Amino acid sequence: MRRALVLLPPFLWLLLLVAAPVVILLGIAVSEGAPGVPPFTPAISLQDGWRGTAQNLLTLAQDGYYAAALLRSVLVAGVTATLCLLLAYPMALGIAAAGERWRVLLLALVLLPFCTGFLPRLGAWIGLLRDGGWVNGVLIALGVTTEPLPLLYSDGAMYLGMVHAYLPFAVLPLAATLLRRDMSVEEAAADLGASPWVVFRSVTLPLSLPGAAAAFLLVFIPAAGEFVIPELLGPPEALLVGRALWGEFFQNRDWPLAAALAVALLALLIVPIRVFQGLDEGGSRRGASPPARGPGERPGMSK
């Protein structure tokens, strides 16, 4: 009874804020568009009963426009998560190796961007990367180029903004995992003559894989549906699912099709989550301690 009371608040929280919105989204996805507010006919009516349709989901499967948006969003999210992970590892290792006082300061510096609004940070990148910005000014002054480079509204600017926005989400779980690792294993490997790179590759990296998986997902999931950064920094032809959703919701006012696109994105994001869960479960089984043997019993002998 006490266990049920403890689990009830988080269960209600997930039910109201996770399950209920997904059910509403699915209901809109199988509805038909219609003039009015809201601009669709509900899939279930007290008078007519069920009158839903799968036409919106079929449209997503048949129209290459939406498939291209989903695939490009997954690609952008994967590249962003990978870059964040590569940058987060040395930062997390430095935080874990620092003393207690410096560790708090370094963690505060990682969280410092959250003290500033999201849009002002993007505005700062626009000012730095525009034709008359500081970056082009420095490049021209150094003689690297004689005219401004098209840095803004490019894939590079988009990835730069994405990595800057989501890097703390990769550093924090990775640093937490590295802080909990058993340093004696690394010290033993170093005492046996392993170089720092071999110690990292054979000991530190495997021990930090759960934190790396969490860091990758914490960046990948929100980056897959990002709209603001690609819109402000990316190229005009960058077709991402966030832009497609915005167009269907607010320009075409086709809520059922937009909801179907959101459901497709949600289903697509479940795949990497399940993959990482499987890897984590496999690693846990491989890392489980072998059963205790009796006195004088050799490995491979059964009782």
Side-chain angles (χ1 to χ4, degrees):
M1 182 63 182
R2 182 178 299 176
R3 177 182 174 85
L5 292 176
V6 171
L7 294 177
L8 183 60
F11 176 78
L12 293 177
W13 181 274
L14 292 175
L15 184 64
L16 293 176
L17 299 181
V18 178
V22 171
V23 171
I24 294 173
L25 197 63
L26 285 171
I28 299 176
V30 296
S31 301
E32 291 185 357
V37 179
F40 63 89
T41 302
I44 300 178
S45 173
L46 295 177
Q47 292 80 12
D48 303 330
W50 173 259
R51 51 184 179 182
T53 176
Q55 183 59 42
N56 299 307
L57 299 175
L58 293 175
T59 300
L60 295 182
Q62 296 170 356
D63 196 332
Y65 174 83
Y66 303 104
L70 285 169
L71 292 177
R72 184 173 174 84
S73 296
V74 171
L75 175 62
V76 170
V79 172
T80 301
T82 302
L83 292 175
C84 286
L85 204 56
L86 292 176
L87 292 173
Y89 253 108
M91 296 173 65
L93 285 170
I95 292 173
E100 188 70 29
R101 184 177 60 181
W102 288 104
R103 190 180 302 159
V104 174
L105 177 61
L106 292 174
L107 287 172
L109 291 176
V110 171
L111 296 174
L112 188 61
F114 292 123
C115 299
T116 308
F118 183 66
L119 289 178
R121 280 185 281 154
L122 291 181
W125 280 117
I126 293 174
L128 288 171
L129 298 175
R130 63 189 178 90
D131 291 347
W134 286 12
V135 175
N136 271 311
V138 171
L139 293 177
I140 293 174
L142 293 176
V144 177
T145 180
T146 57
E147 58 184 17
L149 298 177
L151 302 177
L152 192 59
Y153 308 126
S154 63
D155 287 334
M158 178 180 65
Y159 284 121
L160 188 62
M162 298 275 277
V163 170
H164 174 252
Y166 292 111
L167 183 58
F169 294 103
V171 174
L172 294 179
L174 201 53
T177 302
L178 291 172
L179 283 169
R180 294 196 303 267
R181 75 189 191 277
D182 188 1
M183 294 296 298
S184 62
V185 181
E186 297 183 9
E187 294 172 357
D191 291 339
L192 293 174
S195 64
W197 166 246
V198 173
V199 172
F200 173 78
R201 186 187 61 191
S202 59
V203 179
T204 307
L205 184 60
L207 290 177
S208 62
L209 284 181
F216 187 92
L217 290 177
L218 283 175
V219 175
F220 181 86
I221 292 174
E226 181 61 52
F227 166 72
V228 178
I229 298 176
E231 188 72 18
L232 295 181
L233 299 179
E237 68 276 7
L239 177 60
L240 300 179
V241 69
R243 181 175 291 179
L245 278 170
W246 173 274
E248 296 299 337
F249 262 117
F250 298 102
Q251 294 177 354
N252 299 336
R253 290 186 58 81
D254 193 344
W255 286 20
L257 185 58
L261 185 58
V263 170
L265 177 62
L266 180 61
L268 202 60
L269 292 177
I270 293 175
V271 176
I273 295 175
R274 291 300 304 159
V275 169
F276 279 107
Q277 283 181 341
L279 292 176
D280 187 41
E281 292 171 1
S284 299
R285 287 194 295 268
R286 288 191 298 269
S289 301
R293 298 191 298 269
E297 185 180 354
R298 294 189 302 272
M301 294 179 57
S302 58
K303 293 183 179 180

